Amino acid sequence: MIRKIDDLDFEDEFRRLSALLTASAELHGADPDENELSFELLDKALFRVREIDQAFRDEGGRKNA
């Protein structure tokens, strides 16, 4: 969980999200097992974006995501 927005390294966060989304896109296809893993990676990326958004709002920022 993110305590303060100042604790975030946005370059690292974007790199992490890019890796998760790229892996998810590459896995998504006809194989049901790979599809399940693809959706798990998407879920991890979305969870992190929501954590960042909540930290931003807790700091008094506008609702962005």
Side-chain angles (χ1 to χ4, degrees):
M1 179 172 224
I2 302 168
R3 300 213 185 264
K4 293 189 310 187
I5 205 74
D6 293 337
D7 293 340
L8 287 176
D9 177 350
F10 282 99
E11 188 174 335
D12 186 47
E13 293 295 335
F14 288 129
R15 199 173 19 252
R16 180 182 300 150
L17 288 170
S18 177
L20 286 170
L21 294 172
T22 299
S24 176
E26 288 179 6
L27 285 170
H28 196 76
D31 185 345
D33 291 333
E34 287 184 356
N35 281 343
E36 186 174 329
L37 183 55
S38 173
F39 283 113
E40 287 178 25
L41 294 173
L42 284 172
D43 185 54
K44 287 178 187 273
L46 184 56
F47 181 80
R48 190 62 179 172
V49 167
R50 287 180 175 154
E51 279 189 327
I52 293 168
D53 181 55
Q54 185 62 50
F56 184 72
R57 281 193 263 152
D58 289 347
E59 293 279 327
R62 291 175 284 145
K63 183 178 178 184
N64 284 335

